[in-house]
Coordinates of all heavy atoms in Angstrom, one line a residue:
M1497 N -0.6 -8.0 17.2 CA -1.8 -7.7 16.4 C -2.6 -6.6 17.1 O -3.0 -5.6 16.5 CB -2.6 -9.0 16.3 CG -3.9 -8.8 15.6 SD -3.8 -8.1 13.9 CE -3.6 -9.6 13.0
G1500 N -0.8 -3.4 16.9 CA -0.9 -2.9 15.5 C -2.2 -2.2 15.2 O -2.3 -1.1 14.6
L1501 N -3.3 -2.8 15.6 CA -4.6 -2.3 15.4 C -4.8 -0.9 16.1 O -5.2 0.1 15.6 CB -5.7 -3.3 15.8 CG -5.8 -4.5 15.0 CD1 -6.7 -5.6 15.7 CD2 -6.4 -4.2 13.6
A1504 N -2.5 1.8 14.5 CA -3.1 2.3 13.2 C -4.2 3.2 13.5 O -4.3 4.3 12.8 CB -3.5 1.1 12.4
R1505 N -5.1 2.9 14.4 CA -6.2 3.8 14.7 C -5.8 5.1 15.3 O -6.2 6.2 14.9 CB -7.2 3.1 15.7 CG -8.0 2.0 15.1 CD -9.2 1.6 16.0 NE -9.9 0.5 15.4 CZ -10.8 0.7 14.4 NH1 -11.0 1.9 13.9 NH2 -11.4 -0.4 13.8
G1508 N -4.3 7.1 12.7 CA -5.3 7.6 11.8 C -6.0 8.8 12.3 O -6.3 9.8 11.6
V1574 N 7.4 -2.1 9.2 CA 7.6 -1.4 7.9 C 6.4 -0.5 7.7 O 5.2 -1.0 7.6 CB 7.7 -2.4 6.8 CG1 8.0 -1.7 5.4 CG2 8.9 -3.3 7.0
D1576 N 4.3 3.1 6.1 CA 4.0 4.3 5.3 C 3.0 5.1 6.1 O 1.8 4.7 6.1 CB 3.5 3.9 3.9 CG 3.4 5.2 3.0 OD1 3.4 6.3 3.6 OD2 3.3 5.0 1.8
D1579 N -0.2 6.8 3.0 CA 0.0 6.3 1.6 C -1.1 7.0 0.8 O -2.3 6.8 1.1 CB -0.1 4.8 1.6 CG 0.3 4.3 0.2 OD1 1.5 4.6 -0.2 OD2 -0.5 3.7 -0.5
W1591 N -6.5 7.9 0.7 CA -5.3 7.7 1.4 C -5.5 6.8 2.6 O -6.7 6.6 3.0 CB -4.7 9.1 1.9 CG -5.6 9.9 2.8 CD1 -6.7 10.7 2.4 CD2 -5.6 9.9 4.2 NE1 -7.3 11.2 3.5 CE2 -6.7 10.7 4.6 CE3 -4.8 9.3 5.2 CZ2 -7.0 11.0 6.0 CZ3 -5.1 9.5 6.5 CH2 -6.2 10.3 6.9
C1592 N -4.4 6.3 3.2 CA -4.6 5.4 4.3 C -3.2 5.3 5.1 O -2.2 5.8 4.6 CB -4.9 4.0 3.8 SG -3.8 3.3 2.6
I1593 N -3.3 4.7 6.2 CA -2.1 4.4 7.0 C -1.7 2.9 6.7 O -2.6 2.0 6.7 CB -2.5 4.4 8.5 CG1 -3.3 5.6 8.9 CG2 -1.2 4.3 9.4 CD1 -2.5 6.9 9.0
S1594 N -0.5 2.6 6.4 CA -0.1 1.3 6.1 C 1.0 0.8 7.0 O 2.1 1.5 7.1 CB 0.4 1.2 4.6 OG 0.8 -0.2 4.3
I1595 N 0.8 -0.3 7.8 CA 1.7 -0.8 8.7 C 1.9 -2.3 8.5 O 0.9 -3.0 8.4 CB 1.3 -0.6 10.2 CG1 1.1 0.9 10.5 CG2 2.2 -1.3 11.2 CD1 0.5 1.2 11.8
A1596 N 3.1 -2.8 8.4 CA 3.4 -4.2 8.3 C 4.4 -4.6 9.3 O 5.3 -3.8 9.7 CB 3.8 -4.6 6.9
L1605 N 2.3 -9.6 9.8 CA 1.1 -8.9 10.1 C 1.0 -7.7 9.2 O 2.0 -7.1 8.7 CB 1.2 -8.3 11.6 CG 1.3 -9.3 12.7 CD1 1.5 -8.5 14.0 CD2 0.2 -10.2 12.9
G1606 N -0.3 -7.3 8.8 CA -0.5 -6.2 8.0 C -1.7 -5.4 8.4 O -2.7 -6.0 8.8
F1607 N -1.6 -4.1 8.4 CA -2.8 -3.2 8.8 C -2.9 -2.1 7.7 O -1.8 -1.4 7.5 CB -2.6 -2.6 10.1 CG -2.2 -3.6 11.2 CD1 -0.8 -3.9 11.4 CD2 -3.1 -4.3 11.9 CE1 -0.4 -4.8 12.4 CE2 -2.7 -5.3 12.8 CZ -1.4 -5.5 13.1
I1608 N -4.0 -1.9 7.2 CA -4.3 -0.7 6.3 C -5.6 -0.1 6.8 O -6.6 -0.7 6.9 CB -4.4 -1.1 4.8 CG1 -3.1 -1.7 4.3 CG2 -4.9 0.1 4.0 CD1 -3.1 -2.2 2.9
Y1609 N -5.4 1.2 7.3 CA -6.5 1.9 7.9 C -6.9 3.1 7.1 O -6.0 3.9 6.8 CB -6.2 2.3 9.4 CG -7.3 2.9 10.1 CD1 -8.6 2.3 10.2 CD2 -7.1 4.1 10.9 CE1 -9.6 2.9 10.9 CE2 -8.1 4.7 11.6 CZ -9.4 4.1 11.6 OH -10.4 4.7 12.3
E1610 N -8.2 3.2 6.8 CA -8.7 4.4 6.2 C -9.5 5.2 7.2 O -10.7 4.9 7.5 CB -9.7 4.0 5.0 CG -9.1 3.3 3.9 CD -10.2 3.0 2.9 OE1 -10.7 3.9 2.2 OE2 -10.6 1.8 2.7
P1611 N -8.9 6.3 7.8 CA -9.5 7.0 8.9 C -10.9 7.6 8.6 O -11.8 7.6 9.3 CB -8.5 8.0 9.3 CG -7.2 7.5 8.8 CD -7.6 6.8 7.5
D1614 N -13.2 5.1 8.6 CA -13.1 4.2 9.7 C -13.1 2.7 9.3 O -13.8 1.9 9.8 CB -14.2 4.4 10.8 CG -13.9 3.7 12.1 OD1 -12.7 3.3 12.3 OD2 -14.9 3.4 12.8
R1615 N -12.3 2.4 8.3 CA -12.2 1.1 7.7 C -10.9 0.5 7.9 O -9.8 1.0 7.5 CB -12.5 1.1 6.2 CG -12.6 -0.2 5.5 CD -12.9 -0.1 4.0 NE -14.2 0.5 3.8 CZ -14.5 1.6 3.0 NH1 -13.4 2.2 2.4 NH2 -15.7 2.0 2.8
M1616 N -10.8 -0.6 8.7 CA -9.6 -1.3 9.1 C -9.4 -2.6 8.3 O -10.2 -3.6 8.6 CB -9.5 -1.5 10.6 CG -8.3 -2.2 11.0 SD -6.8 -1.2 11.0 CE -7.1 -0.3 12.5
Y1617 N -8.4 -2.7 7.5 CA -8.0 -4.0 6.9 C -6.9 -4.6 7.7 O -6.0 -3.8 8.1 CB -7.6 -3.8 5.5 CG -8.6 -3.4 4.5 CD1 -8.8 -2.1 4.1 CD2 -9.4 -4.3 3.9 CE1 -9.7 -1.6 3.2 CE2 -10.4 -3.9 2.9 CZ -10.6 -2.6 2.6 OH -11.5 -2.2 1.7
S1618 N -7.0 -5.9 8.0 CA -5.9 -6.5 8.7 C -5.6 -7.9 8.3 O -6.5 -8.6 7.7 CB -6.2 -6.5 10.2 OG -7.4 -7.3 10.4
A1619 N -4.4 -8.4 8.5 CA -4.1 -9.8 8.1 C -2.9 -10.3 9.0 O -2.1 -9.5 9.4 CB -3.7 -9.9 6.6
F1626 N -9.0 -9.6 6.8 CA -10.3 -9.1 7.3 C -10.4 -7.6 7.0 O -9.5 -6.9 6.8 CB -10.3 -9.3 8.8 CG -10.2 -10.8 9.2 CD1 -8.9 -11.4 9.3 CD2 -11.3 -11.6 9.4 CE1 -8.8 -12.7 9.6 CE2 -11.2 -12.9 9.7 CZ -9.9 -13.5 9.8
C1627 N -11.7 -7.2 6.9 CA -12.1 -5.8 6.8 C -13.0 -5.5 8.0 O -14.1 -6.2 8.0 CB -12.7 -5.5 5.5 SG -13.1 -3.7 5.4
N1628 N -12.7 -4.7 8.9 CA -13.5 -4.4 10.1 C -13.9 -5.7 10.8 O -15.1 -5.9 11.1 CB -14.7 -3.5 9.7 CG -14.2 -2.1 9.5 OD1 -13.1 -1.7 9.8 ND2 -15.1 -1.3 8.9
I1632 N -12.4 -11.4 4.3 CA -12.4 -10.9 2.9 C -11.7 -11.9 2.0 O -10.8 -12.6 2.4 CB -11.8 -9.5 2.7 CG1 -10.4 -9.4 3.2 CG2 -12.7 -8.5 3.4 CD1 -9.7 -8.1 3.0
S1677 N -2.5 5.5 -4.4 CA -2.2 4.8 -3.2 C -2.1 3.3 -3.4 O -3.2 2.7 -3.6 CB -3.2 5.1 -2.1 OG -3.1 4.2 -1.0
A1678 N -0.9 2.7 -3.4 CA -0.8 1.3 -3.6 C -1.5 0.5 -2.5 O -2.1 -0.5 -2.8 CB 0.7 0.9 -3.6
A1679 N -1.3 1.0 -1.2 CA -1.9 0.2 -0.1 C -3.4 0.2 -0.3 O -4.0 -0.9 -0.1 CB -1.5 0.9 1.2
L1680 N -4.1 1.3 -0.6 CA -5.5 1.3 -0.8 C -5.9 0.4 -1.9 O -6.9 -0.4 -1.8 CB -5.9 2.7 -1.1 CG -7.3 3.2 -0.6 CD1 -7.5 3.0 0.9 CD2 -7.4 4.7 -0.9
A1681 N -5.2 0.4 -3.0 CA -5.5 -0.4 -4.2 C -5.4 -1.9 -3.8 O -6.2 -2.7 -4.2 CB -4.5 -0.1 -5.3
L1682 N -4.3 -2.3 -3.1 CA -4.1 -3.7 -2.7 C -5.2 -4.1 -1.8 O -5.7 -5.3 -1.8 CB -2.7 -3.9 -2.1 CG -1.6 -3.9 -3.2 CD1 -0.3 -3.6 -2.5 CD2 -1.6 -5.1 -4.0
S1683 N -5.7 -3.2 -0.9 CA -6.8 -3.6 0.0 C -8.1 -3.9 -0.8 O -8.9 -4.8 -0.5 CB -7.0 -2.6 1.1 OG -7.5 -1.4 0.5
L1684 N -8.3 -3.1 -1.9 CA -9.4 -3.4 -2.8 C -9.3 -4.7 -3.5 O -10.3 -5.4 -3.8 CB -9.6 -2.2 -3.8 CG -10.0 -0.9 -3.2 CD1 -9.9 0.2 -4.3 CD2 -11.3 -0.9 -2.6
V1685 N -8.1 -5.1 -3.9 CA -7.8 -6.4 -4.5 C -8.2 -7.5 -3.5 O -9.0 -8.4 -3.8 CB -6.4 -6.6 -5.0 CG1 -6.1 -8.0 -5.5 CG2 -6.0 -5.6 -6.0
A1686 N -7.7 -7.4 -2.3 CA -8.0 -8.4 -1.2 C -9.5 -8.5 -0.9 O -10.0 -9.6 -0.6 CB -7.2 -8.0 0.1
S1700 N 8.8 -0.8 -0.4 CA 8.2 -1.9 0.4 C 7.1 -1.2 1.4 O 6.1 -1.8 1.6 CB 9.2 -2.6 1.2 OG 9.9 -1.8 2.1
W1701 N 7.4 0.0 1.9 CA 6.5 0.6 2.8 C 5.1 0.9 2.2 O 4.1 0.9 2.9 CB 7.1 1.8 3.5 CG 7.6 2.9 2.5 CD1 6.8 3.6 1.7 CD2 9.0 3.2 2.3 NE1 7.7 4.4 0.9 CE2 9.0 4.2 1.3 CE3 10.2 2.8 2.8 CZ2 10.1 4.8 0.8 CZ3 11.3 3.3 2.3 CH2 11.3 4.3 1.3
D1702 N 5.1 1.1 0.9 CA 3.8 1.3 0.2 C 2.9 0.1 0.1 O 1.7 0.2 0.0 CB 4.1 1.8 -1.2 CG 4.7 3.2 -1.3 OD1 4.3 4.1 -0.6 OD2 5.7 3.3 -2.0
C1703 N 3.6 -1.1 0.1 CA 2.8 -2.3 -0.4 C 2.9 -3.5 0.5 O 2.2 -4.5 0.3 CB 3.3 -2.7 -1.8 SG 5.1 -3.1 -1.9
L1704 N 3.8 -3.6 1.5 CA 4.0 -4.8 2.2 C 2.7 -5.3 2.9 O 2.3 -6.4 2.8 CB 5.1 -4.6 3.3 CG 5.8 -5.9 3.8 CD1 6.4 -6.7 2.6 CD2 6.8 -5.7 4.9
A1705 N 2.1 -4.4 3.6 CA 0.8 -4.8 4.3 C -0.2 -5.2 3.3 O -0.9 -6.2 3.4 CB 0.3 -3.6 5.1
G1706 N -0.3 -4.5 2.1 CA -1.3 -4.8 1.1 C -1.1 -6.1 0.5 O -2.0 -6.9 0.2
L1707 N 0.2 -6.5 0.2 CA 0.5 -7.8 -0.4 C 0.2 -8.9 0.5 O -0.3 -9.9 0.1 CB 2.0 -7.8 -0.8 CG 2.3 -6.9 -2.0 CD1 3.9 -6.8 -2.2 CD2 1.7 -7.5 -3.3
L1708 N 0.4 -8.7 1.8 CA 0.1 -9.8 2.8 C -1.5 -9.9 2.8 O -2.0 -11.1 2.8 CB 0.6 -9.4 4.2 CG 0.3 -10.5 5.3 CD1 0.9 -11.8 5.0 CD2 0.7 -10.0 6.7
L1709 N -2.2 -8.8 2.7 CA -3.7 -8.9 2.7 C -4.1 -9.7 1.5 O -5.0 -10.6 1.6 CB -4.3 -7.5 2.6 CG -4.5 -6.7 3.8 CD1 -4.8 -5.3 3.5 CD2 -5.7 -7.3 4.6
V1710 N -3.5 -9.4 0.3 CA -3.9 -10.1 -0.9 C -3.6 -11.6 -0.8 O -4.4 -12.5 -1.1 CB -3.2 -9.5 -2.2 CG1 -3.4 -10.4 -3.4 CG2 -3.7 -8.1 -2.4

Side-chain angles (χ1 to χ4, degrees):
M1497 175 58 89
L1501 292 167
R1505 286 192 182 284
V1574 181
D1576 187 343
D1579 189 61
W1591 59 276
C1592 58
I1593 314 284
S1594 182
I1595 297 172
L1605 302 173
F1607 312 91
I1608 293 176
Y1609 184 48
E1610 294 180 71
D1614 189 22
R1615 187 178 294 129
M1616 177 74 78
Y1617 292 95
S1618 61
F1626 300 86
C1627 178
N1628 288 347
I1632 54 176
S1677 167
L1680 213 51
L1682 286 162
S1683 65
L1684 293 173
V1685 176
S1700 60
W1701 51 70
D1702 293 311
C1703 61
L1704 200 62
L1707 288 168
L1708 182 63
L1709 272 168
V1710 171

